[in-house]
Structure formats: structure tokens, C-alpha cells
């Protein structure tokens, strides 16, 4: 049973719905199934684009008497903030509202909800977010829904309902229906009367796109970079720094349309804070040039990354600083997005280093 706390004379509990199965690596039995609402920290709402409005029940033009509900009026207007992913979240909210219109017999008040997706100041706002990481005092990754448990003595100007994205329509509809049950004063203990109010839910995740299919396969356009020149002599370090900075600045300036808008490659002094590590080390196998390795996230159980998180670039110390910018630039293109040499920015699409004078080094070395 969720606990309660008094916040300025209002009794308000925040309940969360957790998944029973679906996302690999998440615990099937979370340690809590309801969380106390912390009014000092609140719940961060995601912001998405407004979906196309769908038909809502007609609203009488005449004034109505204040209803016995937390807002003191009817209808209770529901807004929808969906993600810009082509899905019609408003229709899923409509389905949830219809369920309670037809089945609410033992709720705290009459479910006089009306869905107006683009309402600027709704009584309830359903927000679809990429991930719910907190719900009141709960912090974790296994929540798929979060909403306050309301009754006639508790209210907010706009009451938030959070719904996690990434699940099929049936799962999402069930989550929204569950959360509206909380708005009607129901708790997880009411699952015997309403099956939809159980604290856990079987989920069907949507297929997760692999990183190779994304235009930009990182979560953020700011990447941290650490440069390790511990194997370089003091006399040559400035030359290596200039070469590496040339490659980094090329990508920050757009790389002939290859880089995403706003890409920032920030140098850091602590390798543990770096997403990309560039180092210089001797190759012991007779080869030269540069080598690279990606790091990433795989969340759907296959061997492919869904997102890249960074990687490593190693430049052969045996070739000296000449053309380090070209080799780092080529390897960085692969770390960022390219899967084939033909997908790299123009200077790196072939191995003839004499084609482009600006990549013959920036410290007056000769390419050959």
C-alpha cells in the first residue's frame, strides 16, 4: 500500500507501474511498487511535439456545478505531449479514458475526463518520455508509468502522468489506463476489482533501431575526448597536438555535411570522463596507420549496438606526427557514424594521402 505525506494540507501519493518482462537486464521484481511524492524535487516531464488531435466527447456549453473531484469542475481536460515518432498517442489516451467512462463504479469521483491533446493549460497532462528514471522517492529504470493517486481532497493545477515510450500500442494503452486509475484514487490494492491496477505489467517492447540505421547514433552531440601522448617525446608533443586538433576542429566545423549540427568535441584531462580516447602507441605487428574500436549500448539482446557511446583510436607512434590528422580524422569518422570508407567525409574516402594538401600535416611536414 503506498504511503502518504502531507504537503501543504494536500494528501498526495505518487504511484508507479513497473514492467514484469520486456527489457533485457532490468529486474523482474523491483524493490518498491509505489513511491512517496516529493514536492521539493517533483517529477521531470519530457516535452514532445503535439500529436494530431482526435475527436473527443462533446462538452456541454452550459456551466456545470463543481464536481466532487480534485479540480472541483467538469469536464476534466486531458492534454497529451507525445514524442515525434509518428504514433497517435492521443487515441491511446482516448481508449484509456473510455475504459474508465465504462467501468468506473468504485472510484473516488466520476471520471469526467475529456481529451484535448493540444490544450494549453489542461487539468491532466499525459507526457510520453524516453525513460522514467524517478517517481517521487523511487529511482530506477524499471518503471513504465507514474502518476499521483488523487482523491477529492488532493489536487494540482496540472497533474502530470508519465508514460514510458518504446512499447507497443497495447502495452501503452494498458499503462495509460492504469495511471488514470490512480488519478481516480485507486491503488495497486484495487487490482482484485480492476485487473488493470496490478503493480506490474507484461510488456511488448517495440523493435529498437540499430545504431547503423540512425542518422546520428549517439544520445548527445557533445562528446568528451581524452588525448594520451605519454608515448610521445616532449619535443614532438606540440606537433601531435596540432595534428589531432586539426582533425577534431574539422568535424566540429561540419566535416562537409558529415557531422550533425552542433557537434562539440570537448577535450578532458581525465580519461575516466572521456567517451573517445585518442592515444599514440607503437604497433608491434609490422602494420602502421591507425586503429579504432567503437563502444556502445545493446538493449535488445542481440549483438548489434543500438547506440554508440564512444570508442578508442590508436595511432602508430612509429610513423611520427606526419599525417596523424588524416589518420585520426578517418578513424573518428568511423566512430561517429560511417560503416564504410565511402561514407566518410571527402578527405578520407581513399587512401591516397597526396590528393588533399590540407591533410598533409599542419606542422610543415612532407607527406612523402
Amino acid at each position: 500500500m503506498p504511503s502518504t505525506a502531507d504537503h501543504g494540507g494536500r494528501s498526495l501519493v505518487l504511484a508507479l507501474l513497473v514492467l514484469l518482462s520486456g527489457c533485457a537486464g532490468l529486474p523482474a521484481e523491483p524493490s518498491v511498487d509505489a513511491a512517496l511524492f516529493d514536492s521539493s524535487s517533483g517529477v521531470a516531464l519530457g516535452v514532445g511535439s503535439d500529436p494530431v488531435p482526435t475527436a473527443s466527447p462533446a462538452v456541454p456549453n452550459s456551466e456545470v456545478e463543481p464536481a466532487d473531484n480534485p479540480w472541483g469542475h467538469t469536464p476534466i481536460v486531458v492534454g497529451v505531449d507525445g514524442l515525434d515518432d509518428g504514433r497517435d498517442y492521443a487515441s491511446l489516451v482516448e481508449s484509456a479514458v473510455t475504459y474508465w467512462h465504462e467501468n468506473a463504479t468504485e472510484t473516488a469521483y466520476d471520471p469526467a475526463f475529456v481529451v484535448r491533446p493540444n490544450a494549453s493549460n489542461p487539468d491532466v497532462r499525459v507526457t510520453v518520455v524516453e525513460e522514467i528514471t524517478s517517481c517521487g522517492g523511487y529511482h530506477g529504470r524499471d518503471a513504465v508509468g507514474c502518476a499521483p493517486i488523487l482523491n477529492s481532497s488532493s489536487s494540482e493545477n496540472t497533474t502530470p502522468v508519465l508514460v514510458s515510450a518504446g512499447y507497443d500500442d497495447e502495452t501503452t494503452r494498458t499503462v495509460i489506463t492504469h495511471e488514470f486509475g490512480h488519478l481516480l484514487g485507486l491503488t495497486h490494492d484495487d487490482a482484485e476489482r480492476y485487473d488493470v491496477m496490478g503493480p506490474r505489467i507484461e510488456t511488448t517492447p517495440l523493435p529498437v533501431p540499430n545504431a547503423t540505421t540512425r542518422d546520428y547514433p549517439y544520445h548527445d552531440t557533445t562528446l568528451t575526448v581524452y588525448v594520451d601522448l605519454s608515448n610521445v617525446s616532449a619535443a614532438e608533443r606540440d606537433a601531435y597536438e596540432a595534428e589531432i586538433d586539426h582533425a577534431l576542429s574539422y568535424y566540429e566545423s561540419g566535416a562537409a555535411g558529415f557531422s550533425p549540427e552542433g557537434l562539440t568535441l570537448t577535450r578532458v584531462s581525465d580519461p575516466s570522463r572521456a567517451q573517445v580516447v585518442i592515444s599514440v602507441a607503437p604497433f608491434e605487428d609490422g602494420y602502421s596507420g591507425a586503429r579504432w574500436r567503437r563502444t556502445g549500448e545493446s538493449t535488445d539482446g542481440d549483438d548489434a549496438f543500438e547506440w554508440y557511446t564512444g570508442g578508442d583510436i590508436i595511432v602508430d607512434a612509429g610513423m611520427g606526427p606526419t599525417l596523424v590528422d588524416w589518420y585520426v580524422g578517418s578513424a573518428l569518422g568511423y566512430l561517429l557514424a560511417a560503416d564504410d570508407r565511402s561514407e566518410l567525409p571527402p578527405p578520407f574516402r581513399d587512401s591516397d594521402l597526396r590528393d588533399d594538401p590540407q591533410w598533409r600535416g599542419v606542422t610543415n611536414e612532407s607527406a612523402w
Side-chain angles (χ1 to χ4, degrees):
M1 182 72 178
S3 56
T4 62
D6 186 14
H7 297 290
R10 295 180 300 155
S11 175
L12 185 62
V13 179
L14 204 65
L16 58 87
L17 179 64
V18 297
L19 59 85
L20 181 62
S21 64
C23 283
L26 299 182
E29 295 292 335
S31 58
V32 299
D33 59 11
L36 181 66
F37 178 72
D38 182 356
S39 62
S40 64
S41 60
V43 176
L45 294 181
V47 179
S49 63
D50 292 328
V52 177
T54 59
S56 298
V59 180
N61 292 326
S62 59
E63 293 185 2
V64 296
E65 293 297 323
D68 186 21
N69 65 51
W71 297 273
H73 61 256
T74 59
I76 305 166
V77 177
V78 179
V80 182
D81 278 343
L83 297 177
D84 188 15
D85 57 6
R87 298 178 66 188
D88 186 2
Y89 291 104
S91 68
L92 301 178
V93 177
E94 287 276 10
S95 295
V97 166
T98 298
Y99 172 88
W100 290 113
H101 285 168
E102 296 175 351
N103 294 282
T105 58
E106 300 179 60
T107 55
Y109 57 90
D110 181 54
F113 299 112
V114 172
V115 180
R116 295 175 181 167
N118 298 314
S120 59
N121 188 30
D123 300 304
V124 177
R125 177 174 284 112
V126 178
T127 303
V128 182
V129 295
E130 293 288 354
E131 185 178 52
I132 299 173
T133 57
S134 65
C135 183
Y138 169 79
H139 301 279
R141 296 184 60 192
D142 50 353
V144 293
C146 181
I149 301 173
L150 300 182
N151 54 49
S152 60
S153 64
S154 60
S155 65
E156 287 192 334
N157 184 29
T158 295
T159 300
V161 173
L162 298 184
V163 178
S164 182
Y167 300 94
D168 70 352
D169 284 357
E170 184 59 32
T171 300
T172 304
R173 183 183 298 108
T174 300
V175 171
I176 298 171
T177 304
H178 175 103
E179 301 310 333
F180 270 77
H182 287 316
L183 296 186
L184 290 166
L186 300 176
T187 72
H188 298 154
D189 292 338
D190 292 301
E192 290 187 5
R193 291 180 294 167
Y194 300 102
D195 290 343
V196 74
M197 293 311 300
R200 297 178 180 86
I201 180 176
E202 293 280 356
T203 63
T204 303
L206 294 173
V208 182
N210 288 335
T212 54
T213 67
R214 301 180 188 273
D215 291 336
Y216 180 68
Y218 287 82
H219 289 295
D220 198 286
T221 54
T222 297
L223 300 178
T224 52
V225 180
Y226 175 76
V227 177
D228 178 6
L229 298 179
S230 59
N231 291 316
V232 174
S233 68
E236 290 187 312
R237 285 191 181 181
D238 286 347
Y240 275 95
E241 287 281 4
E243 296 278 328
I244 293 170
D245 283 343
H246 181 211
L248 298 182
S249 62
Y250 174 73
Y251 280 96
E252 285 190 316
S253 64
F258 177 88
S259 301
E261 184 177 354
L263 178 67
T264 302
L265 302 172
T266 302
R267 293 276 294 267
V268 295
S269 58
D270 181 355
S272 67
R273 295 177 51 229
Q275 294 165 276
V276 177
V277 175
I278 302 172
S279 58
V280 179
F283 288 3
E284 305 293 347
D285 54 8
Y287 291 94
S288 189
R291 292 169 178 169
W292 56 270
R293 178 182 67 93
R294 287 185 185 130
T295 57
E297 301 172 357
S298 181
T299 60
D300 59 4
D302 62 17
D303 293 331
F305 290 142
E306 281 73 60
W307 294 97
Y308 297 148
T309 57
D312 304 293
I313 298 172
I314 303 176
V315 179
D316 179 21
M319 67 180 185
T322 302
L323 300 175
V324 164
D325 55 351
W326 189 91
Y327 282 109
V328 170
S330 179
L332 191 56
Y334 285 113
L335 289 192
L336 288 176
D339 291 300
D340 184 82
R341 183 173 291 277
S342 64
E343 299 174 0
L344 291 170
F348 316 117
R349 289 176 185 167
D350 62 55
S351 57
D352 188 347
L353 310 183
R354 293 167 293 187
D355 287 346
D356 194 336
Q358 73 166 317
W359 292 98
R360 294 186 183 182
V362 293
T363 56
N364 297 319
E365 304 99 337
S366 172
W368 299 97

